[in-house]
Amino acid sequence: MEGLEFTEIVSLLNHSRTTKLDPEPTKRSKGNWELYQGEYKVHLSTLTFNVLYLHSHATAESIKQARAQAFQPGVTQVVYAPSLDQRRQTHHEILKPEADTRFWTTKEYLASILREELDAYRERISQLEPKFYTEPPVRVPAGVNRKIPNPLYSLLTDPDFGSLRDSGRLGIMLAEPGQGKTYMSQYLVAKLTGLKKDIIPIYIDSNQWRSMSVDDLTSIWKTIAHSFRYFDTPIGWIEGCEDLFIKTTLKAGLFRIVFDGFDEYVLRNHGRVQAGDAIQALLELVNATGARIVVTSRTTFWESEIRTTEVDDELSSDKSASIFVIEPFERNHAENYFKNRLKGNDQKIKTALEIFTGLRVHGESFVGRGFVLNLIADLVSRNPTIRPDVGKQSPIQWLMTAICEREQLRQELPINSEQQLKVLRIFISDVVQGNPNNTETLDYAISEVASNLDTDTRELCIAKLSPHPLINKTSDQDEWVIPQEQIKVALLSEHLVSLVGEGEINPLLSAFCKNADIGSSLTNDLAAMILEITSIDSPMDEKIQKFRIIIESFLSCDEKARHISERVNAIKILAVLVALKVVDKFVKKGSSREERSEFLIDMFPHNRFMHLPFSGTIASMDLCGIEFESCRFDHVRWASCKFDQDSKFTNCHFIGGSESNCEGFGDAQWINPTSDEEGRSLIGSAQIKAGKKQYTENDLKSDIQSVISRFIGKGGMGFKSMTNRNIKTGTIKFSKHADLIIEELKKRVLEEHHISGSSEQGYGVSEEARDCVRFFADNNVFTGNLQEVYERLQTKLNL
């Protein structure tokens, strides 16, 4: 970790509209102190001041010298490196009495300048504190002993956490959907806000991204900084210098970051942000600034996108990264939750525990999720004598039915539990298809389910539904929401499965497929929930046949995979995800790749991979002799798969993608493929490495272009820098000659320089090569130094 230089603070503050500091000090004692002149603008007035900065290694003698040569009582502000407090007290004794309130550490100085915005921000995020929070069981990484009160809180606050004191830490919190990631994130933020007055947590979650542009969302710096705007406490002057702001304030120790929904962030960017690259950027930030950061992700996403990659190896070897897993609530944890939620009522607590224990028989992992405990507590709060009798329902179906039965009696609803659930399924289905989530849509759903009800009765029914545990009406506007995300997923999954038939395709399912707007994260959750609600109490053969019917129905749209709308493609992706999850669930652990691939292909119509859209990870499959026909591969990562010369990709379309630990990937036959640049590079490089294709001059040009283009600003305006590590990302990572090409570019086109806020050296276009790079940006032609690099590589590669 690099220490914070006062010049970085000067650079940051000079972006503000009020405070300006001369970049060069007027007086200095090198390595000890510096005096900076500044001015503060208030409306039409300008106030001058100066800042005396004391370095961490300032000696007692130099501090006395600074007092004599650079300090004016009542005028000079004193700012010093915090580590100076650990070495000596001379600065306090000599300067603080006369500096009075103008005496700060670098952290306190930045906080004083941002105080108004930060106080308002702290007040807003303190309101996030969740009710009835109970610590879940958390599996901690080897070498971490702190489980109480919360290992993630210790990571964020304890300087002695881990093996290196006061160093940066990246904590990765993994859990299944509905397990409690967001609940714990909000708890951490609220606790930090309440107990650590000198630390401000920055909280980032998926709700904040809806108002962000696509370009801004791809920047992790802008995404982090947007939290202030989301909570109506914008720091306007940091726009355009978000990276400098985040890096400088983190070095100063001003902030902690809690990034909830890392998986949703990557999926929302759909190929524009790679999971591995984003994690590496956060790891760089931690190591460069000493920051403490927690990110959350679904376990399945992490296993798919990070496990078995070089990023996972890097995280395993980096002492600043730790992976934690929220595990399902066990009985004692559930009891703590129920005691907290159902205070003072022993009968209700006992009933809740009995229901929890009974439901766990039908799905220990699922029932142990936090949102299920919330439903159980809500159910018994007004019905303390109910007993679980699941039958052929899944635990989530039984809970929703039991809650609706209770509401029918409590609210004297004119619709029974089955009708309530059908209303909710139709309502959420209509909303996903673009209808407003208002009373009119809900009224339509009720009229579809209970056509015998007149208008007045429906109005009364809607009024009584307002406080329903499964659906709420917002108090200030006509909007109805499903408060629990996994309830929404369960209702939508049930609705989709209910539309599946064994004969002709239900027109309602076809309409849903064409109109529904479901994002990538919802698609993954739907696939998992469809498994949950379809796998209860039936023989294995019947279960598998159910899944085949579901998959065939979802794939039934007339449009072909290469030329379909994004919405239809999402439903087809859902079908493929269900098939992949069926393999993971029902093929025994340790089975061969051949067994897994045979099981997978058997899930699709005619036992063929035809007109299928794949996304995410395809792992541990033996695809020798297998043909993919007219399939679409959208940023697919092939992991530990096996191919041979009889593997075929016929008329397939590739968007991006990567492969790791695969055998024979380049030996496959690629017949009439279409692709974007990254997909083309993946295929071409695999064939070159397998000896199926010669590396040509065009490949060399494409590889050089893939590197240089990343140093050119949007629209060809200006130049960008990047760390040494990131140069070998993007399509160049597939190239057989990546190292040689980058080495030559570093010699003649790129130059090394320091990147503020990073522990790595960075690279940018050298002054000498800028004209030829500009010409390349405008004309796509190599000249000057770029042409020289190309010719030298031609010679070295015998092209």
Side-chain angles (χ1 to χ4, degrees):
M1 171 186 138
E2 296 179 353
L4 176 63
E5 299 291 338
F6 193 71
T7 51
E8 295 175 77
I9 295 178
V10 171
S11 178
L12 174 62
L13 294 184
N14 283 343
H15 284 85
S16 73
R17 301 184 182 96
T18 56
T19 305
K20 298 292 180 184
L21 287 165
D22 290 340
E24 292 297 323
T26 56
K27 294 180 181 180
R28 73 189 331 167
S29 171
K30 191 171 182 181
N32 291 296
W33 58 268
E34 294 156 352
L35 183 69
Y36 292 86
Q37 296 297 320
E39 59 181 34
Y40 184 75
K41 296 181 179 179
V42 182
H43 193 44
L44 300 177
S45 302
T46 300
L47 305 175
T48 60
F49 63 93
N50 54 51
V51 178
L52 172 62
Y53 177 69
L54 305 178
H55 287 270
S56 59
H57 295 292
T59 64
E61 189 60 37
S62 69
I63 293 172
K64 294 175 183 177
Q65 180 192 50
R67 170 69 178 82
Q69 298 182 10
F71 181 75
Q72 291 180 271
V75 176
T76 305
Q77 302 176 11
V78 179
V79 181
Y80 64 93
S83 58
L84 199 58
D85 282 339
Q86 301 169 15
R87 297 179 55 247
R88 62 182 73 257
Q89 292 297 309
T90 310
H91 53 303
H92 285 268
E93 297 166 1
I94 295 177
L95 294 170
K96 187 175 182 179
E98 292 185 284
D100 194 21
T101 58
R102 299 182 180 88
F103 189 82
W104 298 290
T105 63
T106 49
K107 176 180 177 180
E108 292 165 344
Y109 182 60
L110 282 171
S112 71
I113 293 170
L114 296 164
R115 176 161 288 113
E116 184 176 340
E117 292 93 340
L118 296 186
D119 285 350
Y121 181 73
R122 180 189 286 275
E123 174 63 27
R124 293 297 178 89
I125 61 175
S126 67
Q127 299 170 16
L128 292 171
E129 184 171 9
K131 293 182 179 179
F132 314 119
Y133 179 77
T134 301
E135 291 288 359
V138 177
R139 187 168 75 243
V140 301
V144 175
N145 298 318
R146 296 166 189 239
K147 295 187 179 182
I148 299 173
N150 182 298
L152 279 306
Y153 182 77
S154 297
L155 181 144
L156 288 168
T157 60
D158 190 344
D160 291 323
F161 186 91
S163 59
L164 301 175
R165 179 178 173 83
D166 286 326
S167 59
R169 289 288 183 271
L170 175 62
I172 297 137
M173 183 207 306
L174 304 180
E176 296 297 338
Q179 190 75 65
K181 299 183 299 296
T182 296
Y183 215 49
M184 185 185 286
S185 296
Q186 292 177 345
Y187 164 77
L188 291 171
V189 168
K191 188 173 182 181
L192 275 172
T193 305
L195 297 181
K196 293 288 185 179
K197 300 302 182 184
D198 60 334
I199 294 174
I200 298 171
I202 298 179
Y203 177 61
I204 306 119
D205 77 339
S206 58
N207 290 324
Q208 301 177 21
W209 306 333
R210 294 170 185 166
S211 59
M212 293 184 68
S213 68
V214 171
D215 287 343
D216 283 351
L217 189 58
T218 58
S219 165
I220 202 162
W221 314 115
K222 290 181 181 293
T223 301
I224 294 172
H226 183 72
S227 179
F228 296 102
R229 184 171 297 281
Y230 175 79
F231 286 102
D232 296 324
T233 57
I235 307 174
W237 59 268
I238 69 173
E239 292 186 13
C241 64
E242 290 88 353
D243 56 341
L244 178 62
F245 174 79
I246 297 299
K247 291 173 182 177
T248 303
T249 51
L250 287 178
K251 273 190 177 184
L254 189 58
F255 296 123
R256 301 291 189 267
I257 296 176
V258 178
F259 194 137
D260 183 33
F262 173 79
D263 52 329
E264 296 176 65
Y265 172 73
V266 174
L267 292 170
R268 180 73 173 266
N269 277 290
H270 192 60
R272 294 182 292 270
V273 171
Q274 299 298 321
D277 292 346
I279 284 293
Q280 283 185 323
L282 290 172
L283 197 57
E284 282 183 26
L285 184 64
V286 161
N287 288 326
T289 65
R292 300 294 179 99
I293 299 175
V294 168
V295 301
T296 78
S297 169
R298 286 172 172 84
T299 305
T300 49
F301 175 88
W302 192 264
E303 295 290 337
S304 169
E305 299 301 317
I306 301 295
R307 295 291 188 203
T308 73
T309 70
E310 61 276 9
V311 178
D312 188 52
D313 295 337
E314 188 172 341
L315 287 171
S316 299
S317 62
D318 196 317
K319 293 181 179 180
S320 61
S322 303
I323 297 178
F324 304 81
V325 180
I326 302 180
E327 297 183 319
F329 277 85
E330 298 172 356
R331 193 180 190 282
N332 61 321
H333 295 91
E335 184 175 7
N336 290 336
Y337 175 81
F338 294 136
K339 285 180 178 178
N340 190 17
R341 175 78 179 270
L342 305 168
K343 292 178 180 178
N345 193 314
D346 293 340
Q347 178 59 48
K348 290 181 180 179
I349 294 169
K350 180 182 177 182
T351 302
L353 278 171
E354 288 176 353
I355 292 174
F356 173 78
T357 303
L359 293 180
R360 284 185 83 202
V361 175
H362 301 275
E364 183 174 329
S365 176
F366 186 85
V367 175
R369 299 185 189 184
F371 89 98
V372 176
L373 268 64
N374 176 63
L375 291 177
I376 293 173
D378 188 281
L379 175 62
V380 302
S381 64
R382 289 189 174 90
N383 192 354
T385 60
I386 189 170
R387 294 291 182 271
D389 182 16
V390 176
K392 291 191 175 182
Q393 290 182 303
S394 69
I396 186 63
Q397 289 172 315
W398 182 87
L399 276 169
M400 291 192 299
T401 300
I403 286 173
C404 288
E405 286 175 350
R406 184 199 68 186
E407 290 302 297
Q408 180 187 0
L409 296 173
R410 186 175 76 88
Q411 298 280 13
E412 297 182 344
L413 294 172
I415 51 178
N416 61 29
S417 61
E418 183 180 346
Q419 290 174 313
Q420 289 176 56
L421 288 172
K422 192 169 183 180
V423 165
L424 294 177
R425 290 196 293 265
I426 292 174
F427 173 76
I428 195 62
S429 171
D430 286 349
V431 170
V432 169
Q433 292 181 70
N435 292 296
N437 59 329
N438 59 14
T439 298
E440 183 180 352
T441 303
L442 183 59
D443 182 58
Y444 168 78
I446 295 172
S447 66
E448 283 288 295
V449 173
S451 57
N452 59 312
L453 300 182
D454 58 36
T455 302
D456 290 342
T457 305
R458 291 201 310 272
E459 285 182 1
L460 180 61
C461 179
I462 289 171
K464 290 182 176 182
L465 283 174
S466 181
H468 199 289
L470 303 186
I471 187 169
N472 300 156
K473 183 181 181 183
T474 55
S475 57
D476 56 341
Q477 49 191 325
D478 184 22
E479 287 187 352
W480 292 80
V481 296
I482 308 293
Q484 293 274 357
E485 180 70 14
Q486 290 305 302
I487 293 297
K488 171 183 174 182
V489 172
L491 291 167
L492 200 51
S493 298
E494 282 189 333
H495 181 70
L496 284 170
V497 172
S498 73
L499 297 179
V500 170
E502 297 191 37
E504 294 184 1
I505 299 302
N506 189 328
L508 291 176
L509 178 60
S510 295
F512 182 90
C513 293
K514 293 177 181 178
N515 298 323
D517 184 10
I518 56 176
S520 299
S521 59
L522 182 56
T523 305
N524 275 283
D525 286 358
L526 283 171
M529 189 64 75
I530 287 171
L531 250 69
E532 177 68 27
I533 65 177
T534 312
S535 301
I536 297 297
D537 289 342
S538 58
M540 174 70 77
D541 290 345
E542 288 184 19
K543 292 178 184 177
I544 300 304
Q545 184 58 26
K546 284 181 187 177
F547 287 120
R548 288 197 188 100
I549 294 169
I550 290 169
I551 290 165
E552 184 173 6
S553 297
F554 290 171
L555 293 172
S556 64
C557 300
D558 294 331
E559 299 167 276
K560 300 302 181 184
R562 197 191 293 195
H563 305 291
I564 61 177
S565 68
E566 185 175 341
R567 295 186 176 186
V568 171
N569 191 56
I571 301 300
K572 292 196 167 190
I573 287 174
L574 175 60
V576 176
L577 285 174
V578 169
L580 289 168
K581 289 183 184 297
V582 167
V583 172
D584 289 336
K585 183 176 180 67
F586 294 108
V587 177
K588 293 180 180 179
K589 298 292 183 184
S591 296
S592 67
R593 290 185 290 191
E594 185 175 7
E595 289 175 294
R596 286 174 54 82
S597 59
E598 286 178 355
F599 200 105
L600 177 64
I601 201 168
D602 191 48
M603 299 305 301
F604 295 109
H606 313 296
N607 301 121
R608 297 177 67 185
F609 293 134
M610 187 174 184
H611 297 305
L612 302 177
F614 291 90
S615 64
T617 297
I618 300 176
S620 301
M621 296 285 176
D622 187 336
L623 301 170
C624 294
I626 300 296
E627 181 176 16
F628 292 90
E629 185 177 349
S630 299
C631 291
R632 176 187 176 99
F633 300 93
D634 193 344
H635 295 93
V636 167
R637 185 172 70 86
W638 304 89
S640 302
C641 291
K642 186 177 180 181
F643 303 83
D644 66 4
Q645 64 273 13
D646 293 322
S647 304
K648 294 180 182 178
F649 294 92
T650 305
N651 298 320
C652 291
H653 185 59
F654 296 84
I655 303 172
S658 63
E659 65 91 6
S660 59
N661 303 320
C662 290
E663 300 175 37
F665 186 60
D667 291 324
Q669 298 180 46
W670 311 84
I671 304 168
N672 300 323
T674 58
S675 63
D676 66 352
E677 181 182 348
E678 188 173 348
R680 186 163 51 253
S681 180
L682 170 66
I683 297 168
S685 297
Q687 291 178 308
I688 290 167
K689 289 177 182 177
K692 296 290 184 180
K693 176 187 172 190
Q694 292 295 317
Y695 188 85
T696 67
E697 294 178 350
N698 286 336
D699 294 315
L700 175 58
K701 287 179 181 178
S702 178
D703 284 344
I704 294 173
Q705 178 178 344
S706 71
V707 178
I708 291 300
S709 296
R710 301 181 68 214
F711 287 90
I712 301 171
K714 290 182 180 179
M717 300 297 292
F719 298 99
K720 299 188 292 185
S721 296
M722 67 180 67
T723 61
N724 184 49
R725 181 189 310 186
N726 285 335
I727 294 177
K728 199 177 176 180
T729 57
T731 58
I732 190 62
K733 67 187 175 187
F734 303 128
S735 176
K736 179 180 180 180
H737 303 296
D739 291 336
L740 181 60
I741 291 167
I742 292 171
E743 180 186 346
E744 286 296 325
L745 286 169
K746 285 179 179 179
K747 289 178 181 177
R748 290 168 176 78
V749 177
L750 306 176
E751 65 179 359
E752 190 175 17
H753 61 82
H754 173 72
I755 294 182
S756 176
S758 174
S759 58
E760 282 196 71
Q761 289 299 105
Y763 281 86
V765 178
S766 67
E767 193 66 37
E768 178 187 0
R770 292 196 168 197
D771 286 343
C772 69
V773 173
R774 287 192 188 97
F775 190 84
F776 166 75
D778 292 336
N779 304 286
N780 200 32
V781 174
F782 293 156
T783 58
N785 288 29
L786 274 175
Q787 179 65 19
E788 185 181 343
V789 167
Y790 173 66
E791 291 173 353
R792 286 179 64 86
L793 287 168
Q794 268 186 309
T795 302
K796 288 186 176 184
L797 298 174
N798 297 316
L799 298 179

